[in-house]
């Protein structure tokens, strides 16, 4: 399967008709992350279409997500400052939340089935992290956090393995950040 993503906003300043901005490590990281997220979203969407699976975010879920985000901050100004730091426009928050929820559903319902956690792994993870991550707290007091951290870590690795497999099966073309464009067919 071939997927061609043409994203002028991610090509670079020259493609947008503005003067070339100097490359900085921070700008490169932002653009690379945006391109990776776009590729992930496309791979998940194509996979779901190919398998007939759907992950819907209901209006009620969307409202609950919005309220949780809004209630997590002491003020709207604090929330907007956080969104600015993470380069999310306030008017794009709902779309970002829907994409985040869809990705979470995909991870939990599809890849989560592949992730198994056994008690020995949980205890080993706790022992490895107890002085730094868990600040010496007793295992019983942080066991659920340890399990969640370990599941998240293993799920992330499973996602990366899935992503690599999908990238090998799918011809995804992300146009370069800058420079000449490939010839169109």
């Amino acid at each position: 399967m071939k997927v061609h993503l043409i994203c002028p906003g991610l090509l670079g300043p020259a493609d947008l008709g503005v003067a070339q901005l100097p490359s900085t490590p921070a700008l490169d990281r932002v653009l690379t992350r945006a391109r990776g997220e776009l590729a992930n979203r496309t791979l998940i969407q194509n996979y779901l279409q190919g398998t007939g699976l759907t992950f819907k975010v209901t209006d009620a879920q969307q409202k609950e997500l919005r309220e949780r985000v809004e209630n997590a901050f002491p003020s709207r100004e604090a929330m907007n400052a956080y969104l600015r730091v993470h380069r999310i426009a306030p008017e794009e928050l709902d779309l970002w939340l829907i994409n985040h929820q869809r990705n979470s559903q995909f991870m939990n319902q599809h890849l989560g089935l592949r992730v198994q956690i056994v008690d020995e792994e949980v205890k080993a993870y706790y022992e490895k992290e107890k002085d730094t991550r868990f600040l010496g707290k007793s295992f019983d007091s942080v066991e659920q956090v340890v399990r969640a951290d370990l599941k998240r870590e293993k799920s992330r690795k499973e996602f990366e393995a899935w992503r690599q497999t999908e990238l090998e099966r799918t011809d995804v073309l992300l146009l370069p950040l800058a420079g000449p464009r490939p010839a169109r067919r």
Side-chain angles (χ1 to χ4, degrees):
M1 169 187 287
K2 289 190 177 219
V3 178
H4 297 280
L5 300 176
I6 300 172
C7 306
L10 298 177
L11 290 175
D15 295 304
L16 301 175
V18 297
Q20 182 69 37
L21 295 174
S23 179
T24 65
L27 178 61
D28 291 346
R29 280 192 303 273
V30 166
L31 292 174
T32 299
R33 182 174 175 193
R35 291 163 54 86
E37 289 176 9
L38 182 59
N40 290 348
R41 197 174 322 158
T42 302
L43 289 171
I44 291 171
Q45 181 179 339
N46 286 342
Y47 179 83
L48 294 176
Q49 287 174 347
T51 60
L53 297 173
T54 59
F55 295 115
K56 300 285 184 195
V57 178
T58 67
D59 289 343
Q61 287 173 316
Q62 183 178 349
K63 182 179 178 186
E64 179 190 343
L65 287 168
R66 170 65 101 143
E67 288 172 357
R68 276 196 305 182
V69 168
E70 289 173 349
N71 292 334
F73 294 94
S75 68
R76 178 152 317 271
E77 292 79 22
M79 181 180 84
N80 289 338
Y82 177 85
L83 295 175
R84 270 192 307 279
V85 166
H86 293 280
R87 301 184 188 279
I88 302 169
E91 61 273 7
E92 295 173 349
L93 178 59
D94 287 329
L95 180 59
W96 185 87
L97 289 170
I98 288 169
N99 285 330
H100 180 73
Q101 183 68 18
R102 192 174 294 131
N103 290 348
S104 294
Q105 287 176 344
F106 173 76
M107 292 283 290
N108 292 334
Q109 294 176 18
H110 178 69
L111 299 179
L113 299 174
R114 300 180 192 178
V115 175
Q116 301 298 318
I117 307 288
V118 295
D119 290 342
E120 292 78 21
E121 287 178 302
V122 174
K123 289 177 183 170
Y125 185 80
Y126 167 77
E127 288 300 323
K128 182 179 115 190
E129 302 288 337
K130 86 173 160 185
D131 292 330
T132 55
R133 168 78 172 96
F134 304 113
L135 305 174
K137 294 179 182 172
S138 73
F139 176 75
D140 291 337
S141 69
V142 295
E143 181 178 1
Q144 294 308 311
V145 174
V146 174
R147 285 184 182 282
D149 282 2
L150 187 56
K151 177 141 181 140
R152 189 172 28 258
E153 183 178 303
K154 289 180 82 174
S155 294
R156 189 174 16 258
K157 287 178 182 175
E158 186 64 32
F159 177 77
E160 286 305 316
W162 173 85
R163 181 182 191 272
Q164 189 59 42
T165 300
E166 289 300 305
L167 284 172
E168 290 168 5
R169 292 175 1 137
T170 307
D171 180 16
V172 176
L173 172 65
L174 288 174
L175 295 180
L177 293 175
R181 291 182 178 197
R184 292 194 182 190
R185 298 176 196 172

